[in-house]
C-alpha cells in the first residue's frame, strides 16, 4: 500500500541553523501539507501546496519557513533560522485531489533545537 | 468556543466493550470530518471519514455525524487492548476559510484487558 515517507526521522540542530525536512508524498496525490505537533499539544496546520504553489498557510508559517517541490517526488520544508520553540514533530501529509479530502500522514520528523 | 473540542480523557473501557468518543466543532458549514488514531510517538493514522449526516460503519468502527448539533462521534465495538491510543477528531472548518484540517486535542483511550 502506498504511503508517505519522511526523512530524517530525527534531526538535532543548534539554534540559528537552517534545517530541511524531506517528504515523498503518495505518488498520485496532488495536494501536500505540513503539520507540526509540539510535545503534548495538538496537531497544527502549517502550509498546504498544490500545483507548485502555496495554496494556504497558517499564522505559524512565517518568513522563516518555506516549502518547495524540487522534483516530481520530493516535497521539502525549510526552516531558515531555527528557534528553540521550533522543536516539534513535523508531519507531511498528502491527499489525492478534488472530491477526496482524506489526508494521509507520513511517520514524521522529530526536530530538536538545542 | 474552541474550534474542535474533545474530552482529553483518559477514557477507560474493559476489553470487549464499546468505546464512545465525542467531538464538537465550531462552525455550521463544515463538510468533511475525520477520525485519526495516534499511538504515542507516532503519526496520525486515518481510520474514518464522514461527510453526510448519519452513521458510517467500517468494521468495528462507526462514525456518527450530526451537523445540526455540530457533533461527530466515533464508536469502537469489541474494544481491544491494541485500540489503546489517542483518537484525534479533525475537521475542515469552512468558516475559517481554511481548507486544511483543524484538529482537536484528542481523547486518550485505554482498553483494559
Amino acid at each position: 500500500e502506498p504511503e508517505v515517507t519522511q526523512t530524517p526521522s530525527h534531526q538535532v540542530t543548534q539554534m540559528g541553523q537552517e534545517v530541511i525536512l524531506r517528504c515523498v508524498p503518495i505518488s498520485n496525490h496532488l495536494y501536500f501539507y505540513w503539520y507540526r505537533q509540539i510535545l503534548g499539544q495538538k496537531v497544527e496546520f502549517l502550509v498546504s501546496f498544490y500545483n507548485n504553489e502555496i495554496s494556504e498557510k497558517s499564522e505559524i508559517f512565517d518568513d522563516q519557513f518555506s516549502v518547495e517541490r524540487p522534483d516530481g517526488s520530493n516535497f521539502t520544508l525549510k526552516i531558515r533560522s531555527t528557534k528553540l520553540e521550533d522543536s516539534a514533530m513535523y508531519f507531511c501529509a498528502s491527499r489525492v485531489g478534488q472530491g477526496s479530502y482524506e489526508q494521509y500522514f507520513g511517520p514524521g520528523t522529530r526536530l530538536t533545537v538545542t | 468556543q474552541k474550534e474542535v473540542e474533545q474530552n482529553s480523557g483518559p477514557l477507560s473501557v474493559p476489553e470487549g466493550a464499546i468505546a464512545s468518543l465525542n467531538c464538537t466543532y465550531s462552525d455550521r458549514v463544515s463538510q468533511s470530518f475525520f477520525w485519526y488514531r495516534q499511538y504515542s510517538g507516532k503519526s496520525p493514522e486515518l481510520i474514518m471519514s464522514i461527510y453526510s449526516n448519519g452513521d458510517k460503519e467500517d468494521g468495528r468502527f462507526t462514525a456518527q455525524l450530526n451537523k445540526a448539533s455540530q457533533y461527530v462521534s466515533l464508536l469502537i465495538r469489541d474494544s481491544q487492548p491494541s485500540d489503546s491510543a489517542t483518537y484525534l477528531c479533525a475537521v475542515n472548518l469552512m468558516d475559517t476559510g481554511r481548507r486544511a484540517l483543524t484538529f482537536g486535542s484528542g481523547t486518550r483511550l485505554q482498553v483494559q484487558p
Side-chain angles (χ1 to χ4, degrees), chain B residues 5-39:
Chain B
E5 196 158 355
Q6 298 180 253
N7 287 325
S8 60
L11 172 66
S12 186
V13 301
E15 185 174 354
I18 296 174
S20 177
L21 305 159
N22 304 314
C23 172
T24 56
Y25 58 94
S26 60
D27 91 271
R28 297 184 177 275
V29 295
S30 294
Q31 298 295 318
S32 309
F33 308 86
F34 307 90
W35 285 99
Y36 286 82
R37 177 173 61 198
Q38 188 175 33
Y39 293 110

Side-chain angles (χ1 to χ4, degrees), chain B residues 5-108:
Chain B
E5 196 158 355
Q6 298 180 253
N7 287 325
S8 60
L11 172 66
S12 186
V13 301
E15 185 174 354
I18 296 174
S20 177
L21 305 159
N22 304 314
C23 172
T24 56
Y25 58 94
S26 60
D27 91 271
R28 297 184 177 275
V29 295
S30 294
Q31 298 295 318
S32 309
F33 308 86
F34 307 90
W35 285 99
Y36 286 82
R37 177 173 61 198
Q38 188 175 33
Y39 293 110
S40 182
K42 302 296 186 182
S43 63
E45 175 193 5
L46 180 66
I47 52 173
M48 290 287 288
S49 61
I50 187 166
Y51 302 100
S52 306
N53 279 329
D55 294 1
K56 178 182 177 184
E57 187 174 318
D58 183 0
R60 295 186 296 113
F61 299 100
T62 299
Q64 300 174 316
L65 175 61
N66 183 326
K67 291 185 182 180
S69 300
Q70 296 170 225
Y71 177 92
V72 58
S73 65
L74 179 71
L75 301 178
I76 306 174
R77 287 182 299 282
D78 188 24
S79 295
Q80 301 297 309
S82 58
D83 294 326
S84 297
T86 297
Y87 289 79
L88 308 178
C89 174
V91 181
N92 286 123
L93 286 177
M94 301 303 291
D95 66 353
T96 65
R98 173 179 295 172
R99 298 292 302 188
L101 295 176
T102 299
F103 282 83
S105 56
T107 298
R108 189 156 62 93

Side-chain angles (χ1 to χ4, degrees), chain A residues 40-54:
Chain A
Q41 298 187 21
K42 62 175 68 176
V43 176
E44 300 175 290
F45 166 70
L46 294 177
V47 65
S48 60
F49 193 87
Y50 170 71
N51 199 26
N52 284 318
E53 60 183 23
I54 290 174

Side-chain angles (χ1 to χ4, degrees), chain A residues 3-47:
Chain A
E3 54 186 24
V4 178
T5 59
Q6 290 185 244
T7 53
S9 57
H10 190 191
Q11 174 92 45
V12 182
T13 190
Q14 288 189 326
M15 198 167 50
Q17 296 297 303
E18 175 183 286
V19 294
I20 298 176
L21 310 183
R22 291 182 167 80
C23 168
V24 179
I26 296 172
S27 63
N28 64 332
H29 285 195
L30 302 177
Y31 291 79
F32 315 123
Y33 304 83
W34 284 100
Y35 293 83
R36 79 172 186 190
Q37 187 175 31
I38 295 169
L39 186 64
Q41 298 187 21
K42 62 175 68 176
V43 176
E44 300 175 290
F45 166 70
L46 294 177
V47 65

Side-chain angles (χ1 to χ4, degrees), chain A residues 65-77:
Chain A
F65 292 89
S66 62
V67 290
E68 193 178 34
R69 188 153 164 84
D71 53 43
S73 59
N74 289 285
F75 179 50
T76 63
L77 174 70

